[in-house]
Amino acid sequence: MTRSNSTSTLRSLTQPIDRVAIVLIVALSLLIGILLLSGNHASARVRDFSWQNKQVGADDTAFTLTFSRPMNHASVESNLRIEPPLLGKVSWAGRRMAYTLNTPAPYGTQFQVQLQKAQDRFTGSERGAMQPFTGTFQTHDRAFAYIGVSGEEAGRLILFNLNQQQKQILTPKEMVVMDFKAYPQGERLLFAAAERTTEPTVLTEQKLYTVTTGIHVDSPIQPDAAQASPAKALPSPAPAGTVALVLDNKDYQNLKFDLSVDGNVIVVQRVNRKNPNDFGPWLMKTGEGAQPLKGEPGGDFLITPDSNSLAIAQGQGLAILPLQPNAKPLDFLPKFGMVLSFARDGSLATMVKFNTDNTRSLFLVGNQNTQKELLRTTGSILSTRFDPTKKTLYCLLTELLTGGNIYQEQPYLAAIDLKTSKLHPLVMLPNQRDVQVSLAPDGLALLFDQTTEAVHDQSAADGQLRDSTGNAIASSRLWLLPLDPANPAAKLQPESLPLPGLRPLWLP
């Protein structure tokens, strides 16, 4: 039986159609093997550039290049060109290369990314050269907002674009703006304003509003977010100057306020009109009404960079409160009486200690409970700003001048090296205490104002502005101070801008 089956099988294999099938199978197997051994002859290419035709800001710290094939890392890194140059570090994850900038890209600049002659990992040098790639992106325009002080601009929010040399008034003449903050994309401003009347404008009558700037930023789409959900069409930007009421003052007076980094939280210091003992911070989240943060009333405050907590002066120290009604404090720092600023990533803060010998100390406080005294002075410590690299701290300080019957504080701008704690004076300012300083997001310039008090108080009778001490403002002009991050001690000359205004603020 077995011999018969074997004979039958051998006979079937000798049939012409079987022999043809065997030959075809062998031939196809050889072709498949050759193709597998020779690999794909298509040249490697850049499949995706995350910043292509995007507008990037200081918070955009890295771009990615995704390749169609595994690449020779060294050949890619040695052939990558960015014009104008941007220093950074390279890291890899499979076919994706990330380039992380050492410092924010300078604003108001167009960039080109080129990659030529890079090689894939498995093909020889002659056949492995990738297709040449050129990508482009640009940074946000250099723009800032300020409050006008003269003529039709007095008390109104004004937007100025340095790159385009364009000025635009954002708020109506019926409002006198007191203070304002910028939303993270610069598309809106949150501001406090009172109605313009023949009576002196007072802080307690202000309401909170938003106004659109007309700015529309096409930011890079994060790869993870893009994979998690399909891309959505960007909404059309609202025209500049669209004002919306955020918080009225019917039952409570609105005082100091702050806006979170993500733009979703507002904290306002409020006082009950019928009961002055009822005062404290109120919380407003996007899409929700205002509600009080119950607990011990406090003084000056700042929302932390993670947008989840509030640093507020309470009693004999600083409390860190979660942004939730009736929540218990997360921490209490009895050593300090004021918080001035946070680094962008929240890892560092500057705080002021009021010493028993009538001096003040500026401390650098880390999120790992590290504390370092940077400065002790008999003058005042008015404001501080971290540069993007967290290597330099720009400060507005005063020097106490005494002698005879003279008791005067001379303001000046200074830079402190955070590694050595060495202070470098930059610019001495006129004899004024109410100075607003704003550091550009890319760390390349400071804006500050120079106000002149009115000789008589009549200038405040028509609804014009007052400074933080309550004195009427006769005039004010803006100054631009270029900075050299590589040499913070360099004393560059400030430039007077032809813009009468005060409280300048760089947009993100």
Side-chain angles (χ1 to χ4, degrees):
M1 186 71 174
T2 302
R3 182 179 298 178
S4 176
N5 289 340
S6 301
T7 302
S8 176
T9 301
L10 289 173
R11 287 177 180 175
S12 66
L13 291 176
T14 59
Q15 299 300 316
I17 190 170
D18 294 327
R19 290 196 296 271
V20 172
I22 292 172
V23 170
L24 289 174
I25 291 172
V26 173
L28 289 173
S29 299
L30 290 174
L31 287 173
I32 292 172
I34 292 171
L35 288 174
L36 289 174
L37 291 174
S38 61
N40 184 1
H41 292 283
S43 299
R45 60 183 177 84
V46 173
R47 181 175 292 169
D48 178 72
F49 171 41
S50 62
W51 284 4
Q52 180 64 29
N53 296 328
K54 300 295 183 180
Q55 296 170 283
V56 305
D59 291 331
D60 300 305
T61 58
F63 65 78
T64 60
L65 292 173
T66 304
F67 297 91
S68 62
R69 298 170 58 86
M71 300 299 293
N72 180 304
H73 294 180
S75 70
V76 172
E77 295 171 20
S78 62
N79 287 286
L80 182 67
R81 300 288 183 270
I82 305 176
E83 293 294 337
L86 289 173
L87 298 180
K89 300 177 182 179
V90 174
S91 58
W92 289 85
R95 299 182 183 184
R96 179 182 296 172
M97 186 207 77
Y99 190 86
T100 303
L101 306 184
N102 291 344
T103 59
Y107 275 33
T109 308
Q110 292 187 340
F111 293 88
Q112 189 175 79
V113 178
Q114 293 183 327
L115 184 58
Q116 299 180 10
K117 299 181 181 180
Q119 314 243 333
D120 71 36
R121 183 182 301 174
F122 301 113
T123 311
S125 59
E126 295 182 0
R127 294 183 300 170
M130 65 168 285
Q131 297 177 17
F133 167 77
T134 300
T136 59
F137 68 93
Q138 66 184 49
T139 47
H140 298 179
D141 283 350
R142 299 174 66 83
F144 59 89
Y146 64 95
I147 302 173
V149 296
S150 63
E152 289 294 318
E153 298 179 355
R156 302 171 72 179
L157 265 180
I158 300 172
L159 176 69
F160 188 77
N161 188 310
L162 273 174
N163 292 102
Q164 302 176 15
Q165 290 294 299
Q166 291 180 349
K167 181 172 73 172
Q168 186 168 18
I169 299 177
L170 299 178
T171 55
K173 60 183 179 180
E174 293 79 14
M175 292 181 174
V176 178
V177 178
M178 308 290 193
D179 197 8
F180 65 97
K181 312 286 183 183
Y183 279 83
Q185 294 298 323
E187 79 286 0
R188 289 182 298 161
L189 301 175
L190 174 69
F191 69 96
E195 295 180 4
R196 191 185 300 274
T197 66
T198 57
E199 298 297 325
T201 304
V202 292
L203 181 68
T204 55
E205 296 306 317
Q206 65 185 5
K207 302 175 185 178
L208 290 186
Y209 303 85
T210 59
V211 63
T212 54
T213 61
I215 293 174
H216 181 62
V217 176
D218 188 6
S219 298
I221 298 175
Q222 298 298 324
D224 293 340
Q227 293 174 4
S229 61
K232 296 182 180 179
L234 294 173
S236 299
T242 302
V243 176
L245 177 65
V246 174
L247 186 64
D248 64 29
N249 62 353
K250 181 179 178 181
D251 298 318
Y252 286 83
Q253 298 171 344
N254 303 314
L255 304 178
K256 176 183 170 62
F257 68 96
D258 196 19
L259 176 66
S260 65
V261 171
D262 63 9
N264 292 324
V265 176
I266 301 171
V267 176
V268 190
Q269 188 77 275
R270 309 188 81 195
V271 181
N272 191 317
R273 289 186 176 276
K274 297 180 179 179
N275 179 15
N277 292 323
D278 177 14
F279 71 95
W282 285 56
L283 173 68
M284 289 190 69
K285 294 186 178 181
T286 300
E288 301 178 6
Q291 52 185 326
L293 284 170
K294 297 295 185 180
E296 181 182 349
D300 284 342
F301 57 83
L302 281 179
I303 300 175
T304 57
D306 62 5
S307 302
N308 292 325
S309 305
L310 187 74
I312 183 170
Q314 283 189 347
Q316 299 298 317
L318 279 174
I320 308 298
L321 305 177
L323 288 176
Q324 299 174 4
N326 303 315
K328 295 182 179 180
L330 298 172
D331 199 1
F332 186 76
L333 305 172
K335 185 175 181 179
F336 305 108
M338 183 185 302
V339 57
L340 293 178
S341 64
F342 290 97
R344 183 175 290 147
D345 62 0
S347 62
L348 296 172
T350 53
M351 299 183 183
V352 176
K353 178 187 176 186
F354 297 96
N355 302 312
T356 56
D357 60 356
N358 293 323
T359 62
R360 298 171 178 86
S361 294
L362 176 63
F363 272 81
L364 181 69
V365 180
N367 56 8
Q368 302 297 323
N369 295 322
T370 58
Q371 299 178 4
K372 178 182 180 182
E373 186 177 31
L374 300 175
L375 169 73
R376 180 179 287 239
T377 178
T378 55
S380 298
I381 305 168
L382 301 179
S383 66
T384 60
R385 298 290 185 273
F386 286 92
D387 89 312
T389 64
K390 298 183 295 185
K391 295 180 180 178
T392 305
L393 186 71
Y394 295 101
C395 308
L396 174 61
L397 308 169
T398 68
E399 179 183 2
L400 182 61
L401 304 178
T402 59
N405 295 325
I406 298 177
Y407 184 91
Q408 185 176 323
E409 289 188 78
Q410 172 71 57
Y412 66 100
L413 292 171
I416 298 179
D417 186 318
L418 292 180
K419 184 176 181 179
T420 64
S421 300
K422 188 173 182 180
L423 183 143
H424 305 281
L426 298 178
V427 178
M428 299 301 292
L429 303 174
N431 295 329
Q432 61 177 71
R433 183 181 174 88
D434 191 40
V435 182
Q436 178 82 20
V437 180
S438 180
L439 176 64
D442 57 10
L444 297 180
L446 279 172
L447 276 172
F448 62 94
D449 54 10
Q450 177 188 3
T451 60
T452 302
E453 294 181 3
V455 177
H456 302 290
D457 203 33
Q458 76 276 7
S459 63
D462 59 359
Q464 288 189 351
L465 296 173
R466 293 175 179 267
D467 61 20
S468 61
T469 62
N471 296 317
I473 296 174
S475 65
S476 181
R477 59 175 175 167
L478 304 181
W479 291 79
L480 176 70
L481 175 64
L483 300 174
D484 182 3
N487 182 18
K491 292 186 178 181
L492 302 176
Q493 290 300 314
E495 172 189 352
S496 177
L497 301 177
L499 302 170
L502 71 157
R503 298 191 178 279
L505 177 70
W506 289 103
L507 297 191

